[in-house]
Amino acid sequence: ARPDWMILRALSEELGVPLPYESVSDVRTRLTEVAPHFEHLETVQPSTWLNGDTYAHKKGAKAALDEPFTSSVENFYQTDPISRASVTMARCTSLKK
């Protein structure tokens, strides 16, 4: 058994496009170049949005609605074709009403 990165490296050689990684350290270095948050493993990173901004520092933001969220599913017991064809699920639906 070999580590995953070695398997991918061997496959890339067979395909004629060898990856330039000789060690797991090389892979991790490239990973942090592509995705910098991997440099800080074992720590919680703040969420960033597509524009790179983070909103973790904003506290006390207003709720979008004053009313509670409701389910968009009217009949949970018949949300797919198998449930709709089931006699048991039809009974559950009738009991729910």
Side-chain angles (χ1 to χ4, degrees):
R2 296 195 299 185
D4 294 342
W5 76 269
M6 290 179 126
I7 295 169
L8 291 175
R9 167 72 199 266
L11 177 62
S12 72
E13 288 175 1
E14 289 296 317
L15 294 173
V17 187
L19 294 171
Y21 312 119
E22 299 295 329
S23 68
V24 71
S25 178
D26 291 346
V27 174
R28 288 182 178 149
T29 299
R30 177 64 179 139
L31 184 60
T32 58
E33 289 171 5
V34 174
H37 61 279
F38 280 106
E39 188 173 5
H40 307 287
L41 297 178
E42 304 299 327
T43 60
V44 176
Q45 300 293 315
S47 297
T48 55
W49 301 91
L50 295 177
N51 62 3
D53 288 339
T54 179
Y55 296 100
H57 66 281
K58 293 189 178 187
K59 295 185 180 191
K62 294 190 295 186
L65 299 173
D66 289 335
E67 54 197 62
F69 289 112
T70 58
S71 177
S72 61
V73 178
E74 291 179 24
N75 186 347
F76 174 79
Y77 298 107
Q78 294 192 329
T79 55
D80 61 82
I82 295 171
S83 298
R84 286 191 292 273
S86 167
V87 173
T88 302
M89 290 296 112
R91 277 192 227 132
C92 290
T93 297
S94 66
L95 291 173
K96 181 179 179 251
K97 294 179 182 178

